[in-house]
Amino acid sequence: GSAAKILAGRLKLSASSIETYEGAAKGAAGAIVFALAEGAALPAALHPHKDGYTVVYAGGVVVYGARPRSLLFAAGEPEHWAAGRTAPLVRDPSFAMRVCSYHAGHSVAEQVATLGVNLFTAAVPATVSLEGLPEVFGKLTPEAQQRLRAAGAAHKAENVAVVKEFHDADVEVFALLPYGNNFERWSPELYAAALAAYPAAKGTPEAHSWEKASLCPSDPDTWKVFDAFVKEWAEQTQSDGISATFWDQYGAYCQDERCKRSGNDKFPNELYEFISHYHAVVKPMGQRLHLRTWSSGCPHWLGEEYVHAPGYGQFGLTHEQLWARVIHETPADVLMQTKVYHSDCE
């Protein structure tokens, strides 16, 4: 399998050195044997858990993986176990979620082995038409309708093989939504069609704000558009989940009277609305929601526009102030990933 090929490459062995076998794993002099731990006669203390693997040195080297990707992890780090040991080695990764952005220049299995990750975010291709919203779809030109429909069907067919490569490596893949949550940036032509169908959904930005309030989060038609877009994206990607990014380009910092009354003129409440809606869309589809966020630099002026950069403190909200409602009030199965660095915009 992939793990054996990767290990052979790490040890500078030829492909002819790989053999397959049937039955229980047994050590043999000069051989490294890969096997799954299920059903193996291992003492409880040596049984690998979750993503872990156990290496036993008895007549040869036998690597028992808790699951198939565990053997990929072992194949990627033979310097830890392949030589110079006699006592059994148990490797059990502590972090349940180890996420990496997929890079198309390398196979999924190779990236799993090298980086030790169990979940990928990836730009799985999709093209949304909003055909599920006839009043919006009808505002598109016939050419746009046909073009978007055809591209979406092609992506859906192609993504079967894309997702299969991740699953063959025993890892999950979460398809990235377009960056941020500014619907006008997601698709200018669908945004124009949505406003033609629902003119009251247009938001009101704050003067000189980097956030353009493309759609008003207090208007119910806004969520018809977002919900339909996310549903179609998830259907086309056929991924294990959807990954949404929250840092800038929220696109919903709306300051009209409806939002001031509802509280949706504030970032914490807008985040709650986005995340609640995205989760409610993908959950019945058997998919999950993953959030990417980070705090970088601080609020600052960029030309004549103010970049709010909430979550960093200083002139903006702290992490706790920004995310407390989401953490306490959205479902526990929403995955949250953050990074904190203090480098730019200082």
Side-chain angles (χ1 to χ4, degrees):
S2 297
K5 292 176 183 176
I6 290 169
L7 179 62
R10 293 290 200 276
L11 299 179
K12 302 189 185 313
L13 301 174
S14 68
S16 63
S17 64
I18 300 172
E19 296 182 6
T20 58
Y21 65 94
E22 294 182 2
K26 291 179 13 178
I32 296 173
V33 179
F34 277 175
L36 292 177
E38 185 177 3
L42 286 170
L46 295 182
H47 202 90
H49 303 286
K50 298 179 181 176
D51 284 348
Y53 64 87
T54 296
V55 187
V56 176
Y57 305 87
V61 180
V62 182
V63 182
Y64 294 99
R67 54 187 300 164
R69 67 185 179 217
S70 306
L71 299 176
L72 286 172
F73 299 152
E77 52 182 26
E79 65 276 10
H80 289 300
W81 55 264
R85 296 183 62 95
T86 55
L89 171 69
V90 179
R91 294 272 284 173
D92 276 325
S94 299
F95 290 100
M97 185 173 73
R98 302 185 306 285
V99 185
C100 174
S101 297
Y102 170 69
H103 296 275
H106 302 275
S107 72
V108 173
E110 182 69 34
Q111 291 176 67
V112 172
T114 301
L115 300 171
V117 296
N118 57 13
L119 187 155
F120 284 85
T121 58
V124 182
T127 299
V128 171
S129 68
L130 289 185
E131 190 171 6
L133 281 181
E135 57 270 41
V136 175
F137 188 71
K139 298 296 183 182
L140 296 168
T141 66
E143 179 278 328
Q145 292 176 345
Q146 183 176 0
R147 169 171 44 83
L148 295 176
R149 229 196 240 128
H155 287 317
K156 187 171 183 178
E158 293 162 359
N159 287 338
V160 173
V162 171
V163 173
K164 183 178 184 298
E165 185 182 359
F166 290 94
H167 291 173
D168 285 349
D170 190 29
V171 292
E172 295 181 300
V173 56
F174 281 56
L176 290 163
L177 281 171
Y179 181 82
N181 301 272
N182 182 342
F183 196 80
E184 185 175 11
R185 284 172 56 96
W186 282 14
S187 172
E189 64 182 336
L190 291 180
Y191 176 66
L195 289 187
Y198 311 128
K202 184 172 175 58
T204 301
E206 183 179 65
H208 300 291
S209 174
W210 177 260
E211 301 298 344
K212 300 308 176 192
S214 60
L215 293 173
C216 173
S218 297
D219 192 293
D221 289 331
T222 288
W223 300 112
K224 285 184 185 178
V225 173
F226 272 111
D227 291 354
F229 188 103
V230 172
K231 183 174 188 291
E232 192 173 345
W233 193 274
E235 287 173 342
Q236 282 186 33
T237 62
Q238 302 160 80
S239 54
D240 299 290
I242 291 297
S243 183
T245 303
F246 296 90
W247 184 74
D248 63 355
Q249 296 296 346
Y250 290 86
Y253 193 58
C254 181
Q255 301 298 305
D256 70 9
E257 288 305 315
R258 293 175 294 178
C259 286
K260 289 179 179 178
R261 288 194 302 270
S262 68
N264 283 334
D265 60 333
K266 303 290 191 299
F267 284 114
N269 296 330
E270 292 165 359
L271 285 174
Y272 171 80
E273 292 293 342
F274 276 119
I275 293 163
S276 296
H277 275 270
Y278 294 174
H279 179 270
V281 169
V282 301
K283 176 84 170 177
M285 301 171 67
Q287 298 189 21
R288 290 184 294 160
L289 177 62
H290 169 258
L291 312 181
R292 299 193 310 157
T293 183
W294 60 91
S295 295
S296 162
C298 65
H300 59 281
W301 285 94
L302 185 63
E304 296 184 354
E305 295 185 326
Y306 187 68
V307 180
H308 300 265
Y312 190 80
Q314 300 188 44
F315 309 112
L317 301 171
T318 65
H319 306 301
E320 294 82 2
Q321 290 169 331
L322 181 64
W323 288 102
R325 186 179 182 196
V326 168
I327 291 170
H328 289 298
E329 297 183 33
T330 58
D333 62 345
V334 174
L335 303 175
M336 294 185 67
Q337 176 194 0
T338 187
K339 61 182 179 181
V340 181
Y341 56 94
H342 300 255
S343 56
D344 59 8
C345 309
E346 292 279 24

